[in-house]
Amino acid sequence: MDVSGTGGLTDDRVLLGRTSTAERVADILRTRIAEGYFPPGARLSEESIGGALGVSRNTLREAFRLLTHERLLVHELNRGVFVRVLAVEDVDDIYRTRRLVECAVVRGLGQPPFAVEGLAAAVAEGEAAARADDWTGVSTANIHFHRELVALAGSARTDELMRGVLAELRLAFHVVDDPRALHEPYLRRNREILDALRAGERASAERLLARYLDDSRARVAAACARAVDDPAAPAG
């Protein structure tokens, strides 16, 4: 699969400012992968992306190298750079990491009230996307919800870790043949977690989150297993 478009990257050019480093380019591409602009198996065009962002080929290649190290991209000799396709084992490891980090964040929140404005905005974003029958938008809002949840820890290192983990997770979502069936139940569950945190019920929120992540892992891993067994099946 060759992605000739650039996913609106021209609009991101202003983010580079005067510091158009490989790290900044990698951050933009990581976000675009996490939001579904570049699906698993997509070939990334150096010319298209470099032209859209206005960066040199060397800078772009260094950004690709960084994202390959993060397991978001793979380099295939004489073919180019592609967005990685996950295996079931990858999904299990992603959710193991999420459970360790996200539940620990909620457990360590301290005393209420908690700053849940970002979570509330992500919940509203997901509900609005569902009303518009935009299940890719619901998926993106769900990623935003979990980013905001982790951000409650106030840790730049944790935020950075989870940006990569959640970007990898988005790769798994693309193999789901029925995105509505996957994402719709979690609209309600996101709101339940939000409501528990608003009420200051940290332990309840952690229990809800742990069950949520276990259920989501089982569903996404099953979808990946089906995709491996039948690679010709349509992706969501």
Side-chain angles (χ1 to χ4, degrees):
M1 179 179 181
D2 191 344
V3 175
S4 58
T6 57
L9 284 172
T10 305
D11 296 336
D12 288 332
R13 188 169 182 170
V14 296
L15 299 178
L16 296 175
R18 295 183 179 178
T19 57
S20 66
T21 64
E23 289 82 2
R24 294 290 298 276
V25 174
D27 191 49
I28 289 170
L29 294 178
R30 185 187 302 110
T31 298
R32 290 294 182 166
I33 291 169
E35 294 185 349
Y37 288 97
F38 299 118
R43 179 181 176 275
L44 301 187
S45 165
E46 286 187 5
E47 290 186 2
S48 296
I49 294 174
L53 292 176
V55 297
S56 71
R57 180 164 292 186
N58 286 341
T59 296
L60 186 59
R61 286 178 176 175
E62 176 62 13
F64 285 170
R65 187 192 66 78
L66 292 171
L67 294 177
T68 299
H69 180 71
E70 293 178 18
R71 299 177 298 277
L72 293 177
L73 303 179
V74 292
H75 179 267
E76 297 186 13
L77 189 62
N78 298 324
R79 294 194 65 221
V81 175
F82 296 80
V83 180
R84 189 161 169 253
V85 178
L86 298 187
V88 174
E89 293 79 6
D90 296 312
V91 173
D92 287 338
D93 195 35
I94 287 168
Y95 274 91
R96 189 179 304 115
T97 302
R98 291 186 67 194
R99 207 178 195 282
L100 285 169
V101 174
E102 294 187 44
C103 290
V105 166
V106 173
R107 193 181 314 125
L109 282 178
Q111 296 302 313
F114 308 124
V116 297
E117 294 82 3
L119 285 175
V123 168
E125 177 189 356
E127 292 172 346
R131 288 193 295 271
D133 202 30
D134 175 10
W135 298 101
T136 298
V138 172
S139 173
T140 298
N142 188 53
I143 295 290
H144 292 167
F145 178 86
H146 290 279
R147 282 183 185 165
E148 293 292 341
L149 182 71
V150 171
L152 293 175
S155 165
R157 292 174 178 83
T158 306
D159 290 344
E160 183 178 357
L161 166 68
M162 289 306 294
R163 274 199 302 272
V165 170
L166 292 172
E168 275 196 271
L169 176 65
R170 187 60 181 262
L171 301 182
F173 287 168
H174 282 282
V175 304
V176 176
D177 54 8
D178 187 350
R180 177 171 183 167
L182 174 67
H183 297 299
E184 190 169 35
Y186 297 99
L187 291 167
R188 173 182 54 80
R189 297 175 80 162
N190 283 349
R191 181 162 285 283
E192 288 174 348
I193 293 169
L194 170 63
D195 289 345
L197 290 174
R198 271 180 169 159
E201 298 171 358
R202 184 183 58 196
S204 176
E206 184 184 352
R207 286 193 298 271
L208 289 169
L209 177 62
R211 289 197 296 268
Y212 174 126
L213 292 174
D214 289 344
D215 291 347
S216 181
R217 183 206 61 78
R219 294 172 70 104
V220 175
C224 283
R226 287 194 299 271
V228 170
D229 292 338
D230 184 9

